[in-house]
Amino acid sequence: MNKLFKIFALAAALSTAAIPALAEETHQTVTQTNTLQFVSAGSKTFTGDVTMSNIYTPQAPSKSYAAIVTFAPGARTYWHVHDMGQTLIVTEGIGYTQEWGKEPVLLNTGDIVRCPPGVKHWHGAAPDSSMTHIALSETGGKVTWLEPVSEAEYPQK
Ligand code: MN
């Protein structure tokens, strides 16, 4: 994993561990990057080869959780909506995100995508590059999965 990923993972760990009151956990945890368990994201809501791992799960009273998702070249989510929004941080590679009715937006390493609640969109790799992002969400948030991103909709360069 690259340095940027390690910085974001550390920041995420510190931000959820820094709440002294009401916290069930009483000490920091450090998760080594090589212990993350990547599994296939499946083919019902993703096109192409997509693997993902939890980075951290909610630590009360926080509802924040994070996952890291790697899209092979050409791979992408289906169109979908987050009812509580989502933040993406690109940690490696080149990809795209697109809102329904708008042009695709190129994503490079380090780019940050804030997706408000209720906005139909997709995100994924470029055709000729893989892309890895961290996805930050809240428990209680629901994802409504819609139709695949067609070859006509997907950027061809
Ligand atoms: Mn999304």
Side-chain angles (χ1 to χ4, degrees):
M1 289 294 164
N2 63 25
K3 188 184 292 180
L4 184 64
F5 166 75
K6 288 176 182 167
I7 290 168
F8 281 125
L10 178 62
L14 290 173
S15 69
T16 54
I19 303 165
L22 303 175
E24 293 174 6
E25 303 289 336
T26 57
H27 58 85
Q28 294 187 87
T29 57
V30 175
T31 302
Q32 251 107 38
T33 187
N34 62 3
T35 66
L36 295 177
Q37 301 283 317
F38 282 84
V39 297
S40 170
S43 57
K44 291 180 179 170
T45 54
F46 292 85
T47 298
D49 182 18
V50 182
T51 58
M52 58 194 304
S53 170
N54 283 335
I55 294 177
Y56 62 84
T57 53
Q59 191 173 51
S62 171
K63 294 180 177 177
S64 166
Y65 71 94
I68 184 166
V69 188
T70 295
F71 300 81
R76 66 266 191 182
T77 68
Y78 282 21
W79 289 100
H80 63 282
V81 175
H82 303 278
D83 72 350
M84 293 179 72
Q86 182 182 55
T87 301
L88 306 175
I89 303 166
V90 179
T91 57
E92 211 162 343
I94 300 170
Y96 283 95
T97 188
Q98 183 179 17
E99 284 185 32
W100 185 252
K102 297 185 180 178
E103 291 297 311
V105 176
L106 187 69
L107 299 176
N108 288 291
T109 302
D111 287 350
I112 300 159
V113 181
R114 298 298 308 271
C115 184
V119 172
K120 180 176 174 178
H121 70 288
W122 65 268
H123 32 102
D128 56 357
S129 173
S130 63
M131 189 273 281
T132 298
H133 67 46
I134 292 174
L136 301 163
S137 308
E138 277 185 66
T139 51
K142 196 180 82 178
V143 182
T144 302
W145 291 103
L146 303 165
E147 70 275 21
V149 177
S150 70
E151 292 303 317
E153 291 169 318
Y154 181 71
Q156 296 302 312
K157 58 182 175 65

